[in-house]
């Protein structure tokens, strides 16, 4: 902390001194440029606005200092100059710089960078990676997400994992329960201070039919589980910067780009398309690629002749198995939701043992990368796998070793400078949390020449489910795990962290009873035995015994009389419910929607024993309800804000506010109805 504050103070002092004493803006811009570079290393490549502002303001500062130097010279020479030259020059420079930056923005990129420049860039990135490790574990009383899903994943010291609710995950297949890994992104480049993203290329997620995959599973042609789920963000957090899926992504109901390793993009050349210049890109893909290949680009010469096709190879399931992340573009906002279907394969250990070591070149070049000296880690990995002759058994041996000998704790010291974090974990700390366990396994496998990568996201289990079966994902569900590549099988997850099962996979149970399907477990567990049996058996006349005659005259059968009674009771109940709903709605008809919601809220809260006090403001009442009914604490401010703006400000709420209000009201209504029921039960008892 002292070092960071000192560097910040020195940077500001250097800027002020260079501008006001030396009248040299270029030297003053150096601290800001260094800070911007470190932000890029920490946050990723999404600082476009900050970069544009830095360049614009920096060049304007250079212009201003240059003009002031000329003015001083003019004054010494008693030369005349316009009184408003400062504003004129500022206006001219501003528009000239905007034009220059716009031109640079639209200028095509892709020129070959000279080798010395690339080497210098690599050295600068190495310095940045070391500083990331320094700045990563700064302590704070606030719970900060352990995974930012940005360009880097620095190792940290002691961390806090709170119970803030980040998102809800509803599995729409009622047969699925158990443990799930929700992958957000993966990291491939290991440095002594943490992980970095390698070069990626955004591609459109290939269209796949989950029903076809499910059919193959039902026929036992394919082994695995289709996991369809609805995800809703419950907080404004970095968790909204990626889309999560269980296993390999199949389909997503929103526009996004799948991030794949640039090295995984293949190119096909040496073919002849006589009419290629007249063909569209999809037509070229259809003519040159197979069913298991997805085109992402067509190379043409100046005449439009097709000279090459870039594509991605699908895996044995027909899916984009090389996907490293699903990028939604903009951050998914609070209460926004999406649907995603994932496929979790069931891997056969025998097939993994026989997978061999014929890895694709792009896999070995990217996923076996390590710093120069990892001899100590390699010696340990070799000693643990001397009796194993295949990659799977070696991975299991390392996994078992880490699970047995390295306990889990969130309270650990920071890695000393110039010490590799994995080495420090393995040979000095000998304890840590999932980031360290997973990183250690990936690095140990890479020292043996086995490709592996680091995956981060969340791990949930049945204890994280609500009564309706929805998983509530919190900060404490953050997790990391290694994924190992097997030829012909793809990326297989392992778990060397001993706080959870070694095999984290969903459980597929029997289909629920049709009579109770759709009801939450909190209700069905109170039903009497046999309540799930059908009320009327669907039996044909030919199935009845000969002695059991069935009357064909309406009303002559006692069972038909009972049916009419049941129908009459159901109709009466429906009419009563309709009358109550109509009266409930008509009592607030004519009011703006925010005032309707507020009046309903006050009415339900009053029935639950919490009426508003005389002279109490809407926000004070909302705060009081939040303390009385815990489940409305999060959403009551939204309702109070909308009501205040409509009732006292006489303004229409925006579409975003209306959407937030519509999403908040069902939660508040449910909680208040529960309060009314609880008060009734207390009075009855």
């Amino acid at each position: 902390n002292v070092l960071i504050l000192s560097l910040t103070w020195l940077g500001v002092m250097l800027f002020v001194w260079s501008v006001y004493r030396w009248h040299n803006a270029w030297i003053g811009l150096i601290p800001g440029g260094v800070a911007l570079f470190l932000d890029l290393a920490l946050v990723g490549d999404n600082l476009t606005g900050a970069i544009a502002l830095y360049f614009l303001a920096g060049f304007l500062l250079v212009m201003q200092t240059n003009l002031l130097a000329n003015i001083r010279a003019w004054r010494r020479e008693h030369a005349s100059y316009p009184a408003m030259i400062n504003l004129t020059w500022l206006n001219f420079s501003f528009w000239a710089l905007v034009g220059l930056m716009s031109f640079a923005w639209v200028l095509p990129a892709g020129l070959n960078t000279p080798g010395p420049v690339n080497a210098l860039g690599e050295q600068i990135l190495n310095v940045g990676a070391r500083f990331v490790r320094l700045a990563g574990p700064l302590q704070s009383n606030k719970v900060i997400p352990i995974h930012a899903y940005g360009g880097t994943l620095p190792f940290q010291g002691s961390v806090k994992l709170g119970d803030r609710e980040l998102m809800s995950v509803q599995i729409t297949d009622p047969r699925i329960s158990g443990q799930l890994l929700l992958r957000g992104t993966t990291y491939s480049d290991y440095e002594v201070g943490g992980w970095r993203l390698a070069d990626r290329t955004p591609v459109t997620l290939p269209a796949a039919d989950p029903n076809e995959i499910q059919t193959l599973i039902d026929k036992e042609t394919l082994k695995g589980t289709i996991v369809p789920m609805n995800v809703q963000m419950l907080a404004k957090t970095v968790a909204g910067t990626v889309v999560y899926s269980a296993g390999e992504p199949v389909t997503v109901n929103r526009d996004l780009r799948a991030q794949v390793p640039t090295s995984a993009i293949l190119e096909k050349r040496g073919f002849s398309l006589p009419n290629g210049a007249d063909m569209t890109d999809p037509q070229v893909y259809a003519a040159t690629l197979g069913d298991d290949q997805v085109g992402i680009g067509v190379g043409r010469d100046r005449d439009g002749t097709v000279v090459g096709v870039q594509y991605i190879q699908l895996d044995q399931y027909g899916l984009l198995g090389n996907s490293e992340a699903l990028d939604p573009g903009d951050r998914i906002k609070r209460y926004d939701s999406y649907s995603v279907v994932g496929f979790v394969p069931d891997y056969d250990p025998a097939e993994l043992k026989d997978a061999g070591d014929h890895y694709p070149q792009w896999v070995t070049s990217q996923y076996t990368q390590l710093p120069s000296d990892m001899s100590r880690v390699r010696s340990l990995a070799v000693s643990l796998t001397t009796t194993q002759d295949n990659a799977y058994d070696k991975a299991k041996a390392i996994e078992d070793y880490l699970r047995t000998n390295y306990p889990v704790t969130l309270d650990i010291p920071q890695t000393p400078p110039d010490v590799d974090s994995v080495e420090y974990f393995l040979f000095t700390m000998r304890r840590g949390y999932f980031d360290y366990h997973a990183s250690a396994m990936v690095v140990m496998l890479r020292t043996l020449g086995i490709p592996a990568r680091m995956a981060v996201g969340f791990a949930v289990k049945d204890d994280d489910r609500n009564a309706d079966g929805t998983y509530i994902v919190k900060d404490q569900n953050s997790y990391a795990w290694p994924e190992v590549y097997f030829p012909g099988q793809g990326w297989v997850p392992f778990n060397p962290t001993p706080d959870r099962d070694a095999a984290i996979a969903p459980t597929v149970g029997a289909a629920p009873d049709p009579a109770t399907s759709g009801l939450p477990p909190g209700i069905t567990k109170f039903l009497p035995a046999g309540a799930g049996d059908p009320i009327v058996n669907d039996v044909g006349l030919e199935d009845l015994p000969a002695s059991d005659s069935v009357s064909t005259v309406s009303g002559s059968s006692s069972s038909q009389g009972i049916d009419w009674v049941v129908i009459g009771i159901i109709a009466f109940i429906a009419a009563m419910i309709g009358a109550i709903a109509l009266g409930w709605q008509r009592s607030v008809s004519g009011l703006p929607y925010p005032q309707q919601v507020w009046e309903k809220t006050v009415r339900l809260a009053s029935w639950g024993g919490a009426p508003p006090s005389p002279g109490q403001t809407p926000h004070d009442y909302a705060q009081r309800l939040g303390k009385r009914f815990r489940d409305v604490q999060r959403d009551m401010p939204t309702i109070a804000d909308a009501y205040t703006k409509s009732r006292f400000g006489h303004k229409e709420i925006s579409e975003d506010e209306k959407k937030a209000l519509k999403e908040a009201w069902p939660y508040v209504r449910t909680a208040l109805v529960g309060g009314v029921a609880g008060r009734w039960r207390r009075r009855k008892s």
Side-chain angles (χ1 to χ4, degrees):
N1 291 351
V2 172
L3 180 58
I4 298 297
L5 292 174
S6 301
L7 290 175
T8 304
W9 185 85
L10 289 174
V12 175
M13 285 299 298
L14 177 61
F15 174 81
V16 174
W17 199 275
S18 63
V19 172
Y20 291 99
R21 286 295 184 92
W22 301 332
H23 307 294
N24 190 324
W26 291 107
I27 299 178
L29 292 175
I30 292 177
V34 172
L36 187 61
F37 168 76
L38 294 177
D39 277 342
L40 285 171
L42 286 166
V43 180
D45 55 357
N46 56 352
L47 296 175
T48 306
I51 294 174
L53 183 63
Y54 172 78
F55 279 118
L56 182 62
F59 284 133
L60 287 177
L61 178 63
V62 172
M63 178 279 303
Q64 183 71 3
T65 55
N66 182 60
L67 177 62
L68 291 177
N70 288 329
I71 289 178
R72 286 192 295 270
W74 294 338
R75 287 177 177 175
R76 287 195 304 267
E77 299 172 359
H78 302 287
S80 60
Y81 58 90
M84 305 297 292
I85 189 174
N86 198 1
L87 295 179
T88 303
W89 206 249
L90 187 67
N91 179 62
F92 171 79
S93 299
F94 175 81
W95 293 110
L97 289 170
V98 169
L100 179 62
M101 293 173 62
S102 300
F103 175 75
W105 181 267
V106 301
L107 194 67
L111 300 177
N112 292 328
T113 307
V117 177
N118 279 332
L120 178 62
E122 287 294 329
Q123 294 298 323
I124 294 175
L125 288 177
N126 289 334
V127 174
R130 290 178 178 271
F131 193 87
V132 164
R133 182 177 68 176
L134 171 68
L138 293 182
Q139 301 300 314
S140 172
N141 292 329
K142 181 180 179 181
V143 177
I144 301 174
I146 187 172
H147 300 143
Y149 304 101
T152 60
L153 176 64
F155 285 110
Q156 304 184 44
S158 297
V159 295
K160 300 177 182 178
L161 297 179
D163 57 357
R164 178 182 55 160
E165 296 181 355
L166 303 179
M167 58 187 185
S168 65
V169 177
Q170 181 186 27
I171 307 299
T172 56
D173 187 344
R175 302 175 302 166
I176 297 177
S177 60
Q179 303 186 87
L180 288 174
L181 288 175
L182 306 177
R183 190 178 68 189
T185 190
T186 63
Y187 291 88
S188 56
D189 289 358
Y190 175 73
E191 304 288 348
V192 292
W195 293 88
R196 273 192 330 199
L197 297 180
D199 291 337
R200 294 175 168 184
T201 299
V203 302
T204 302
L205 188 67
D209 187 359
N211 293 325
E212 293 183 0
I213 300 178
Q214 186 62 53
T215 300
L216 295 177
I217 295 175
D218 295 338
K219 294 180 179 179
E220 298 185 354
T221 304
L222 199 62
K223 296 181 180 179
T225 306
I226 286 288
V227 183
M229 60 188 192
N230 295 325
V231 181
Q232 183 184 39
M233 304 306 302
L234 301 180
K236 182 180 180 181
T237 171
V238 294
T241 58
V242 294
V243 169
Y244 299 87
S245 68
E248 299 187 23
V250 181
T251 60
V252 184
N253 71 334
R254 64 184 296 141
D255 294 332
L256 54 75
R257 305 287 281 175
Q259 300 288 341
V260 299
T262 301
S263 57
I265 298 176
L266 307 176
E267 188 171 13
K268 185 174 292 189
R269 288 178 174 269
F271 51 81
S272 176
L273 292 176
N275 299 325
D278 300 326
M279 299 172 65
T280 63
D281 287 0
Q283 291 173 335
V284 174
Y285 298 149
T288 58
L289 300 179
D291 295 337
D292 58 346
Q293 299 169 340
V294 177
I296 61 172
V298 176
R300 302 175 186 267
D301 59 16
R302 293 183 179 180
D303 298 329
T305 303
V306 178
V307 296
V309 176
Q310 291 183 328
Y311 67 96
I312 294 179
Q313 188 75 36
L314 299 180
D315 60 15
Q316 69 272 27
Y317 310 114
L319 303 175
L320 191 62
N322 299 323
S323 172
E324 293 193 323
L326 299 178
D327 182 9
D330 296 331
R331 184 194 298 260
I332 302 175
K333 300 179 180 179
R334 185 185 182 190
Y335 299 133
D336 281 355
S337 60
Y338 58 87
S339 298
V340 57
V341 177
F343 172 65
V344 181
D346 288 343
Y347 297 102
D348 186 351
E351 295 179 356
L352 296 178
K353 292 179 181 181
D354 296 336
D357 57 359
H358 297 292
Y359 303 108
Q361 191 277 333
W362 68 269
V363 172
T364 54
S365 65
Q366 183 160 329
Y367 297 102
T368 57
Q369 166 273 337
L370 284 173
S372 56
D373 184 17
M374 300 297 294
S375 56
R376 194 178 181 189
V377 177
R378 172 175 167 76
S379 298
L380 176 60
V382 170
S383 66
L384 296 174
T385 58
T386 52
T387 60
Q388 284 75 34
D389 60 356
N390 61 82
Y392 176 77
D393 287 337
K394 292 179 180 180
K396 291 299 293 184
I398 294 175
E399 179 188 54
D400 294 340
Y401 174 77
L402 293 172
R403 292 180 63 86
T404 304
N405 298 283
Y406 294 83
V408 174
T409 177
L410 301 179
D411 185 14
I412 58 174
Q414 299 176 12
T415 304
D418 297 326
V419 176
D420 184 87
S421 297
V422 166
E423 285 192 7
Y424 191 67
F425 166 73
L426 289 174
F427 304 109
T428 303
M429 286 195 302
R430 301 190 64 84
R431 57 191 173 90
Y433 49 90
F434 38 80
D435 280 1
Y436 288 88
H437 290 80
S439 299
M441 182 169 177
V442 173
V443 172
M444 293 172 76
L445 288 172
R446 288 187 176 189
T447 62
L448 302 176
I450 300 174
R453 66 185 185 184
M454 175 84 162
V456 296
F458 298 100
V460 294
K461 54 186 177 180
D462 283 335
D463 293 343
D464 302 312
R465 304 180 80 179
N466 281 343
D468 62 354
T470 300
Y471 293 95
I472 300 299
V473 181
K474 303 178 181 180
D475 284 305
Q476 61 193 15
N477 293 110
S478 300
Y479 215 62
W481 61 93
E483 293 183 347
V484 185
Y485 188 86
F486 291 88
Q489 301 291 328
W491 296 100
V492 179
F494 288 78
N495 183 26
T497 311
D499 62 339
R500 295 177 184 267
D501 295 340
I504 300 180
T507 302
V508 181
D513 196 305
T516 58
S517 62
L519 296 178
I523 294 177
T524 56
K525 67 181 181 181
F526 294 113
L527 295 178
D533 297 332
I535 298 176
V536 179
N537 292 324
D538 185 15
V539 181
L541 295 179
E542 65 276 11
D543 299 324
L544 294 174
S547 59
D548 294 336
S549 61
V550 179
S551 173
T552 59
V553 180
S554 177
S556 61
S557 170
S558 60
S559 63
Q560 290 182 353
I562 294 175
D563 292 344
W564 281 111
V565 171
V566 172
I567 293 174
I569 293 175
I570 293 175
F572 175 78
I573 294 175
M576 290 296 296
I577 293 175
I580 294 173
L582 181 61
W584 170 267
Q585 188 61 35
R586 288 194 62 180
S587 63
V588 295
S589 62
L591 295 176
Y593 182 70
Q595 298 183 38
Q596 291 185 20
V597 173
W598 180 261
E599 293 299 330
K600 294 176 182 178
T601 301
V602 172
R603 191 176 303 169
L604 288 175
S606 300
W607 292 346
S613 302
Q616 195 171 33
T617 67
H619 288 90
D620 290 340
Y621 186 52
Q623 187 176 10
R624 177 187 166 196
L625 290 183
K627 294 178 180 178
R628 176 69 179 275
F629 306 99
R630 294 282 183 176
D631 292 337
V632 306
Q633 190 172 21
R634 183 187 61 191
D635 298 301
M636 274 306 300
T638 301
I639 297 177
D641 290 340
Y643 172 73
T644 303
K645 183 176 181 179
S646 175
R647 175 67 176 84
F648 302 106
H650 304 289
K651 296 180 181 179
E652 293 286 338
I653 61 175
S654 65
E655 289 298 324
D656 291 340
E657 292 172 329
K658 188 174 182 180
K659 180 180 179 181
L661 184 60
K662 288 184 176 181
E663 292 175 342
W665 167 237
Y667 294 101
V668 174
R669 178 181 58 200
T670 302
L672 295 180
V673 169
V676 174
R679 186 187 184 194
W680 178 79
R681 286 195 298 268
R682 289 193 297 271
R683 285 187 173 183
K684 185 177 180 180
S685 62

